Amino acid sequence: MRLVYVFEGPRDDSSDYSVIIYNRIPKTGSTSLMGIAYELCSKNGFSVIHLNTTKNSHILTPADQIRFAQNISGWMERRPAIYHGHIGYIDLSALGVSLRPIYINVVRDPLERLISYYYFLRFGDNFRPEVVRKRKGNKETFDECVIRQGPDCDPVNLWMQIPFFCGHHSACWEPGNAWALQQAKGNLAKSYFLVGVTESMEDFVALLEASLPRFFRGALQLFNSEGKSHLRKTYGKQPPSKETLKNIHKSKVWQMEQDFYMFAKKNFNSIKKRALPSAGSAFVPQQFRFEKIRPKYITNNNINANTNSR
């Protein structure tokens, strides 16, 4: 039986012009999450905008970074809004705009993510089964690929979540770069409002609804409705053998990506423990209040006195 959380908060959204940036990492469950956002946008009154890049590039040129920052800052008619796309982290504070977006993301066990992508290229999924994938007809298993050291299962392909959080610096996209790992951790800790994990997607959706009801009011109910919890399922996926796991775990890239994943997962579990109700509870109360407010009433005289005393 699933818990049904009840989230209460301010419902006057008329002055909310927030912007969320979700720089989605491939094969982490982002299609499921954005499917929910697209269903809620009309009801909750916000825009959802996909950032489509040429040749599916994960980085933008300096000129395009400026254009992107200026566009999302000035496109007031579309606020509040969620911008999403498979793009590396962009620090808007370095691009001459005053907008401070809310960054969110989801990470996944790095080897699970790679294996899912490996079979996705060969067999596709139930989201768009009619699409012909790049490796259609190739029935080689991931284990067999590892044995012959094929390019599709090369551990270097694990280098994905670190660069997405690291950003647009060239070092971010160098597999095994130690600075990139530290930069990714720093950006996650300082710039991201919430980073969930694929394996706990229901809890991530619950936290989004509790924290950002302007966008995600009703998200948990949608997520748990028939067909939503597992909106996208890769066909033909087989679990790796113990020997494959042993070989992959020797890789420096896997060790670094696993380090980053565990860093993100530990933080998410800590937030979840504080913010979600315990088993059997159905209400998430506000955990702060304002008090000892002085003076009791604010008047023009108070304001003028404070101004003159500066």
Side-chain angles (χ1 to χ4, degrees), residues 143-197:
D143 287 340
E144 292 167 345
C145 178
V146 170
I147 291 172
R148 72 173 184 86
Q149 299 181 338
D152 285 353
C153 57
D154 189 326
V156 75
N157 295 318
L158 291 162
W159 193 257
M160 182 63 69
Q161 300 185 133
I162 288 173
F164 262 70
F165 278 85
C166 179
H168 276 60
H169 193 285
S170 61
C172 295
W173 301 88
E174 296 173 1
N177 188 291
W179 174 86
L181 171 59
Q182 296 309 313
Q183 185 72 9
K185 287 182 175 180
N187 286 339
L188 186 153
K190 293 185 294 184
S191 300
Y192 280 80
F193 172 70
L194 188 63
V195 176
V197 295

Side-chain angles (χ1 to χ4, degrees), residues 21 51 60 64-72 90 92:
I21 293 180
L51 178 63
L60 300 178
D64 278 344
Q65 290 180 55
I66 292 290
R67 293 186 188 103
F68 173 73
Q70 292 175 345
N71 283 337
I72 69 171
I90 298 177
L92 294 192

Side-chain angles (χ1 to χ4, degrees), residues 25 50 87 178 198:
I25 299 167
H50 179 234
I87 193 76
T198 303

Side-chain angles (χ1 to χ4, degrees), residues 29 75 99 107 115 153 229 237 241 249 278 303:
W75 203 357
L99 175 67
V107 295
I115 292 173
C153 57
S229 293
K237 189 165 63 173
S241 67
H249 290 176
S278 57
I303 296 173

Side-chain angles (χ1 to χ4, degrees), residues 108-112 158 161-162 181 185 249 252-265:
R108 184 177 184 179
D109 178 283
L111 184 54
E112 282 294 315
L158 291 162
Q161 300 185 133
I162 288 173
L181 171 59
K185 287 182 175 180
H249 290 176
K252 177 184 177 182
V253 170
W254 175 83
Q255 293 167 9
M256 295 176 72
E257 279 280 345
Q258 186 71 10
D259 182 357
F260 178 74
Y261 168 72
M262 294 305 297
F263 176 81
K265 183 177 181 179

